[in-house]
Amino acid sequence: MSLNRRSFLGTSAATGAGVALAGAAVAPAAEAAPGHGRGHGKPKKRYAFTVMGTTDLHGHAFNWDYYKDAEYTDTDGNAQGLSRISTLVRQIREEMGRGNTLLIDAGDTIQGTPLTYYFARVDPITAADGPVHPMAQAMNAIGYDAAALGNHEFNYGIDTLRTFESQLHFPLLGANAVDAKTERPAFAPYVIKRLRTPHGRDVKVAVLGLTNPGIAIWDKAYVQGVLKFPGLEEQAAKWVPKLRSMGADVVIVSAHSGASGTSSWGDQLPYVENAAASVAAKVPGIDAILVGHAHVEIEQQLVKNEETGRTVVLAEPLCFAERLARFDFELEWEKGRWSVASVSSKLLNSNAVADDPKITKLLSAQHALVVKYVNQVVGSAKVELTTVDARYKDAPIIDLINKVQADVVTEALKSTQYASLPVLSQASPFSRTSTIPAGDVTIRDLSSLYVYDNTLVAKLLTGAQVRAYLEYSAEYFVQTAADAPVDVDKLTNAGDRPDYNYDYVSGVAYDIDIAQPAGSRIRNLTFEGKELDDTAQFVFAVNNYRANGGGAFPGVATAQELWSESTEIRTRIAEWVTAKGVLDPADFASVDWRLTRAGTPVFP
């Protein structure tokens, strides 16, 4: 596979002719440059432009829920899809003048929906006569100027990513994605765009792309020995001065990294996962940051740079193309150069506009292919299975995942020295709304249960490691006194831990005493009816995200790996159901755990 389809150097491009901005709206200043609005004499030359941004699109081209086979809806009235974003972008370009706008993205584009899965695995873009990825088609048609790499860009391997990159009409940026041997950038670090002003003085806008160091953990199988991912602060400190020395009047960072300063990987990496605010505070010379990765909404966050005292404006639009970020810049000409007088940001809601018919027409055939694919019937279910209460009750629908994983691993190891060891399995309640209805079972039903493209790994754990793993998982629950009322809406996600970082473990039985403090909750942990032996050995069927350290669960990342594969767990579930024909809880459901308080079940 090639690491060098694009030059190691950043790219530079010029836009078309600018349009005079008489009367153009300019947002209130986040911070005025020294002397702005003061003094007398000849008025300063001024220029305004707008940078638009999306992030974490995750394959959402349309306002369509492939899992429900219907238009997407939620209780907040949100809409999704690049077809809506295209309409918003067109409106802003009409307002500002096409040459006075830029459009960028902060990563996670080619994974997340059946649409992206289809063109990675069913009709892959990497085939000799493979199609152009629909997300590339849409982003090219809308006219993006640059996009940063997201961690999920690596989920299908580097070949898929490089093929996607080659199909784009704009650069895919990743200053901190470097060759493992040479440590040179493996993707374009930046792009410089020239905006033509009415004053005969072009504005150079540099966009620096930064991605998430967690790729080294989450997609270890693809990138180990091939790519390295140093920290965002380190690489921003290296590249921003270079961009300024190259004449950049404005520096914008597109960062696939949240703003919270937190990390999900414990001490496995020396870098911060969500480092955007820290980059703004510690690296001088940045004017604005388009934030991604965290799937949260930040309309405008102001961070003062510790060295210069200047304010950096951060914004993160909501994922899945539900929002478009808008950064409004006002520049003034002084001392022979353009300087930023003010920056502000706001978010636009894609539910306020209609789909762009241009994008709808462009991708209608691909969309129809995916709809047909996900509606294939692969079996039937005797009863309805749902994740509605799977966060706090042992739900048969999650047992299905664990049964499939345990069966696959058992078969894979049957001729090895580990064949006699018992197989345990972990699974998380990814969705709160997934339902497999009684009757026909389709691929979309199963896809809604397992929404990530995780693959399966077998690790070797001791009983003591299993115990520690369960204790860590049980931190997900809010401590609730034995006599306190139970509100299921407030019972979980302690410390803001997401649902995907809570694990069931099948093959053992245990209670979780939520009246106890975190770290002391696992009670009555047994294997085959006897107290778990801390020295016993077990094969642990685990998804690759968790196996590589995602969620920072103890023991598993450093445990001996016995086996792994590249087939998605979702595919294995579909194969298992297809082989069975009938989905009967008697074949997979088990009671492995329950919530208790002082020995009394929370849900009798």
Side-chain angles (χ1 to χ4, degrees):
M1 64 191 141
S2 169
L3 285 177
N4 305 304
R5 290 194 184 177
R6 288 192 182 272
S7 167
F8 283 135
L9 300 177
T11 57
S12 179
T15 65
V19 177
L21 289 179
V26 178
E31 175 179 294
H36 173 51
R38 300 175 192 166
H40 305 283
K42 189 176 179 180
K44 293 181 179 179
K45 297 174 182 177
R46 306 184 72 85
Y47 174 68
F49 72 97
T50 295
V51 177
M52 299 167 282
T54 55
T55 190
D56 297 275
L57 298 171
H58 285 287
H60 289 78
F62 295 128
N63 189 48
W64 188 261
D65 189 333
Y66 289 100
Y67 305 126
K68 294 181 179 178
D69 198 27
E71 282 212 4
Y72 174 80
T73 59
D74 65 21
T75 55
D76 295 323
N78 290 310
Q80 301 178 341
L82 272 174
S83 58
R84 299 290 184 101
I85 293 295
S86 183
T87 302
L88 290 172
V89 168
R90 188 180 68 250
Q91 290 177 349
I92 293 172
R93 285 171 174 165
E94 289 173 354
E95 171 198 343
M96 297 296 297
R98 177 69 174 85
N100 304 311
T101 65
L102 296 174
L103 175 60
I104 63 177
D105 182 81
D108 275 6
T109 303
I110 60 170
Q111 179 278 337
T113 62
L115 178 78
T116 51
Y117 177 80
Y118 187 91
F119 289 98
R121 293 288 189 254
V122 182
D123 186 11
I125 61 173
T126 51
D129 57 348
V132 177
H133 200 291
M135 294 301 286
Q137 291 187 58
M139 295 175 82
N140 289 339
I142 295 169
Y144 275 78
D145 293 288
L149 285 166
N151 54 283
H152 283 288
E153 259 66 83
F154 293 84
N155 286 176
Y156 297 117
I158 293 176
D159 285 345
T160 297
L161 171 54
R162 286 301 191 186
T163 302
F164 173 70
E165 180 191 24
S166 73
Q167 295 175 344
L168 299 174
H169 297 166
F170 53 89
L172 199 54
L173 308 177
N176 62 327
V178 303
D179 184 276
K181 294 179 180 178
T182 67
E183 296 192 355
R184 295 180 65 197
F187 294 82
Y190 63 88
V191 64
I192 295 179
K193 308 291 287 188
R194 299 178 74 100
L195 303 181
R196 191 166 299 169
T197 77
H199 307 296
R201 306 281 187 173
D202 290 354
V203 172
K204 288 186 178 181
V205 181
V207 180
L208 177 68
L210 297 171
T211 192
N212 205 286
I215 296 165
I217 296 175
W218 304 320
D219 280 297
K220 180 180 178 181
Y222 292 125
V223 303
Q224 188 173 37
V226 180
L227 296 170
K228 290 181 180 178
F229 301 89
L232 283 84
E233 283 183 35
E234 171 191 340
Q235 293 300 299
K238 172 183 177 180
W239 286 101
V240 171
K242 290 184 178 181
L243 296 173
R244 289 294 185 180
S245 69
M246 293 166 64
D249 301 298
V250 180
V251 174
I252 300 165
V253 175
S254 182
H256 194 76
S257 178
S260 66
T262 60
S263 297
S264 68
W265 50 62
D267 59 359
Q268 290 184 84
L269 290 176
Y271 312 117
V272 176
E273 177 179 355
N274 296 302
S278 182
V279 169
K282 296 183 182 302
V283 180
I286 298 169
D287 296 297
I289 300 180
L290 175 65
V291 179
H293 181 62
H295 291 208
V296 298
E297 190 168 356
I298 302 174
E299 184 149 43
Q300 180 171 272
Q301 180 175 342
L302 306 180
V303 178
K304 181 175 287 189
N305 184 266
E306 295 172 1
E307 182 175 327
T308 66
R310 290 189 63 85
T311 298
V312 183
V313 178
L314 278 62
E316 180 175 4
L318 205 56
C319 55
F320 309 152
E322 293 186 7
R323 304 287 187 274
L324 177 70
R326 174 174 177 162
F327 294 89
D328 286 305
F329 290 80
E330 185 172 334
L331 277 60
E332 59 184 21
W333 182 263
E334 59 179 1
K335 298 180 180 179
R337 62 181 294 271
W338 287 109
S339 64
V340 175
S342 68
V343 190
S344 67
S345 64
K346 63 181 178 180
L347 301 181
L348 304 179
N349 198 324
S350 61
N351 71 0
V353 296
D355 293 300
D356 185 340
K358 174 183 175 182
I359 305 303
T360 302
K361 181 179 180 181
L362 179 68
L363 300 184
S364 60
Q366 294 93 326
H367 173 67
L369 283 173
V370 178
V371 169
K372 181 179 179 181
Y373 166 74
V374 299
N375 280 287
Q376 292 180 70
V377 175
V378 295
S380 63
K382 278 196 169 184
V383 297
E384 181 182 86
L385 301 166
T386 180
T387 60
V388 169
D389 57 4
R391 291 169 294 142
Y392 46 86
K393 291 182 181 180
D394 188 346
I397 196 169
I398 308 299
D399 294 335
L400 171 63
I401 300 172
N402 275 329
K403 173 62 175 172
V404 172
Q405 293 181 164
D407 282 1
V408 170
V409 168
T410 298
E411 177 66 20
L413 297 180
K414 70 178 183 180
S415 60
T416 72
Q417 68 188 91
Y418 307 103
S420 62
L421 293 181
V423 177
L424 312 182
S425 180
Q426 65 77 224
S428 304
F430 292 137
S431 168
R432 298 187 180 190
T433 59
S434 178
T435 297
I436 299 175
D440 287 347
V441 177
T442 64
I443 288 176
R444 67 178 172 86
D445 296 327
L446 301 178
S447 297
S448 73
L449 170 62
Y450 209 105
V451 296
Y452 297 106
D453 294 309
N454 294 336
T455 58
L456 193 55
V457 179
K459 293 269 191 166
L460 184 65
L461 296 185
T462 66
Q465 288 174 314
V466 172
R467 190 185 303 274
Y469 190 99
L470 290 171
E471 281 288 6
Y472 181 81
S473 183
E475 293 177 12
Y476 170 75
F477 295 100
V478 174
Q479 186 173 5
T480 308
D483 58 351
V486 174
D487 181 348
V488 296
D489 292 328
K490 298 178 181 179
L491 188 61
T492 62
N493 306 99
D496 294 325
R497 182 183 292 198
D499 296 345
Y500 62 77
N501 275 340
Y502 169 62
D503 284 1
Y504 289 33
V505 173
S506 70
V508 291
Y510 55 98
D511 293 342
I512 301 174
D513 190 337
I514 60 173
Q516 300 301 318
S520 304
R521 291 177 174 174
I522 300 301
R523 298 283 191 269
N524 304 320
L525 177 56
T526 63
F527 171 68
E528 294 184 342
K530 298 179 181 179
E531 183 178 355
L532 184 72
D533 180 355
D534 283 352
T535 65
Q537 289 189 315
F538 298 90
V539 175
F540 195 48
V542 58
N543 69 57
N544 67 302
Y545 172 79
R546 192 72 80 234
N548 291 333
F553 277 63
V556 66
T558 56
Q560 181 183 347
E561 183 176 305
L562 308 180
W563 170 88
S564 66
E565 67 170 353
S566 59
T567 301
E568 289 81 6
I569 293 169
R570 181 195 304 118
T571 299
R572 290 302 192 192
I573 296 171
E575 291 172 347
W576 193 92
V577 173
T578 301
K580 285 286 186 182
V582 177
L583 201 53
D584 185 348
D587 294 330
F588 56 84
S590 60
V591 179
D592 300 306
W593 63 276
R594 62 179 182 171
L595 296 186
T596 64
R597 291 186 294 179
T600 301
V602 176
F603 304 103

